[in-house]
């Protein structure tokens, strides 16, 4: 367990006797806006009423958990820095040392817990041979436009309209490049090909190729966040660009965490024909 608290509905109640003959009460909880697989039995001592005091306890508990995570992350970073310092000291003793070509990771992104569970639900969907309907509504371009508008309307000092516009444009173009290669599960590739073929039939006069950012949405953008550190490292992105981008990515993640309606509400099953085509793709 992460130690965090979430709003839930009590489905069942049971009790067992302790070694002293006292009842130990447990509640079977169904968490709001979460899939049934997260339902679980919880001891009474870990449950509180959904009222003002309960929400205060949940807020304090989650705040403590967050602070512990930050403290642990800071301690880990300090330990890594010390280890790196020891390695550098050892290198100084080696006259014929080779140049150090290993660079630090440009950055790491901390994905909010609710979005992490979105990723797990996404994987479960594919493993159950189900798919997201295409095109997504909203698609990536619409999502980024809403994010840009929200940040500009907030009038925060770091809004920087010009820099924000460049970030939005760059992210959209980068998504278009990596989406077909890195962000689609193998099970989704048949659907991808079918959609592109159908789009050519539906609109044969369109000269421009439909961009992935016009078709896919929040789910695949979230997958991009998971892969970004390694993708940016492979691209050998300059550290100053990486730091600037990291600030924007964190802002976007926080915004997505609040705007949960941008994620899928419906999924569609696949038929035998689709499964057969998928098998052919694998063979």
């Amino acid at each position: 367990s992460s130690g965090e608290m979430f709003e839930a509905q009590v489905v069942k109640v049971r009790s067992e006797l302790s070694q002293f003959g006292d009842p130990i009460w447990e509640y079977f909880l169904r968490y709001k806006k979460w899939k049934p697989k997260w339902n679980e039995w919880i001891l009474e001592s870990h449950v509180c009423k959904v009222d003002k005091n309960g929400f205060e306890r949940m807020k304090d508990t989650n705040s403590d958990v967050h602070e512990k995570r930050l403290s642990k992350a800071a301690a880990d970073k300090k330990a890594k820095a010390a280890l790196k310092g020891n390695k550098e000291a050892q290198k100084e003793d080696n006259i014929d040392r080779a140049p150090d070509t290993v660079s630090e990771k440009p950055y790491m992104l901390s994905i909010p817990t609710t979005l992490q569970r979105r990723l797990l639900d996404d994987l479960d969907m594919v493993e159950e041979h189900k798919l997201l309907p295409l095109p997504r509504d909203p698609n990536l371009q619409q999502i980024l436009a809403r994010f840009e508008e929200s940040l500009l309307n907030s009038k925060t000092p770091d809004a920087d309209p010009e820099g924000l516009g460049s970030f939005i444009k760059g992210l959209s173009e980068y998504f278009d490049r990596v989406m077909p290669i890195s962000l689609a599960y193998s099970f989704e590739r048949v659907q991808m090909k079918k959609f592109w073929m159908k789009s050519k039939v539906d609109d044969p006069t369109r000269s421009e190729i439909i961009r992935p950012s016009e078709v896919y949405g929040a789910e695949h953008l979230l997958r991009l966040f998971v892969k970004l550190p390694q993708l940016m490292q492979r691209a050998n992105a300059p550290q100053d660009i990486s730091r600037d981008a990291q600030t924007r990515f964190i802002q976007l993640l926080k915004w997505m965490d609040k705007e949960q309606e941008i994620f899928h509400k419906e999924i569609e099953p696949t038929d035998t024909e689709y499964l057969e085509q998928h098998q052919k793709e694998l063979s």
Side-chain angles (χ1 to χ4, degrees):
S1 172
S2 65
E4 292 177 281
M5 296 183 71
F6 302 95
E7 190 174 349
Q9 175 187 4
V10 177
V11 180
K12 300 177 186 177
V13 180
R14 70 183 182 190
S15 67
E16 297 180 0
L17 293 179
S18 68
Q19 59 179 328
F20 304 107
D22 300 320
I24 300 175
W25 292 95
E26 290 183 303
Y27 298 89
F28 189 70
L29 302 182
R30 177 186 297 138
Y31 295 102
K32 288 185 66 176
K33 300 180 181 179
W34 294 50
K35 282 195 170 184
K37 70 175 184 177
W38 299 106
N39 296 355
E40 60 181 340
W41 286 100
I42 295 291
L43 289 172
E44 184 179 30
S45 58
H46 296 162
V47 177
C48 59
K49 290 183 178 180
V50 181
D51 55 16
K52 183 179 179 180
N53 292 333
F55 280 117
E56 285 293 329
R57 178 180 170 185
M58 181 169 66
K59 180 180 177 181
D60 292 341
T61 299
N62 293 348
S63 177
D64 290 343
V65 170
H66 182 64
E67 287 181 8
K68 288 178 182 177
R69 283 179 182 163
L70 291 178
S71 298
K72 184 179 183 301
D76 291 344
K77 185 176 181 180
K78 186 176 181 180
K80 287 179 181 177
L83 180 61
K84 182 182 177 184
N86 290 336
K87 288 182 178 179
E88 292 296 330
Q90 291 173 7
K91 286 179 183 178
E92 292 299 325
D93 296 331
N94 186 358
I95 297 174
D96 297 323
R97 66 184 181 274
D100 184 15
T101 58
V102 179
S103 61
E104 295 182 12
K105 289 186 178 180
Y107 52 80
M108 294 297 292
L109 291 174
S110 178
I111 299 178
T113 305
T114 50
L115 297 184
Q116 290 181 31
R117 299 216 175 182
R118 286 282 184 186
L119 287 164
L120 292 174
D121 292 344
D122 206 19
L123 179 58
D124 287 343
M125 174 195 68
V126 173
E127 290 179 344
E128 293 169 3
H129 291 169
K130 296 176 182 177
L131 296 165
L132 295 168
L134 297 180
R136 304 298 303 122
D137 183 20
N139 62 32
L140 179 83
Q141 292 184 9
Q142 294 166 333
I143 289 170
L144 293 181
R146 286 170 55 178
F147 165 68
E148 182 178 22
E149 182 182 8
S150 173
L151 197 58
L152 291 176
N153 288 340
S154 68
K155 297 181 180 179
T156 55
D158 58 352
D160 180 18
E162 184 176 347
L164 180 58
S166 298
F167 168 78
I168 296 296
K169 183 175 183 292
L171 179 57
S172 181
E173 292 175 351
Y174 189 67
F175 181 88
D176 289 335
R177 291 203 304 271
V178 301
M179 164 56 217
I181 304 169
S182 304
L183 305 183
Y185 290 115
S186 62
F187 187 71
E188 296 173 315
R189 297 193 181 278
V190 173
Q191 182 196 34
M192 185 191 303
K193 289 181 179 180
K194 280 186 171 183
F195 182 85
W196 256 264
M197 290 174 63
K198 184 176 182 299
S199 64
K200 291 180 181 179
V201 174
D202 291 345
D203 189 4
T205 60
R206 176 168 175 152
S207 57
E208 297 179 355
I209 298 174
I210 295 181
R211 298 169 57 185
S213 55
E214 298 176 75
V215 180
Y216 293 90
E219 298 79 19
H220 290 78
L221 175 58
L222 203 51
R223 296 181 199 177
L224 176 60
F225 283 125
V226 177
K227 292 180 175 288
L228 262 175
Q230 66 188 68
L231 290 172
M232 294 295 285
Q233 190 173 27
R234 285 178 194 169
N236 198 23
Q239 289 292 318
D240 56 342
I241 294 178
S242 297
R243 283 193 294 270
D244 292 342
Q246 184 182 19
T247 300
R248 294 300 185 194
F249 288 133
I250 291 172
Q251 291 173 333
L252 180 52
L253 276 169
K254 289 180 178 179
W255 180 84
M256 291 174 67
D257 192 30
K258 293 179 181 178
E259 303 291 328
Q260 290 288 323
E261 74 277 1
I262 64 177
F263 291 92
H264 67 82
K265 300 176 182 63
E266 297 179 358
I267 54 179
E268 56 186 31
T270 52
D271 54 21
T272 305
E273 180 186 357
Y274 188 96
L275 296 175
E276 290 175 352
Q277 288 179 316
H278 171 58
Q279 288 302 319
K280 288 181 181 178
E281 288 278 328
L282 296 177
S283 60

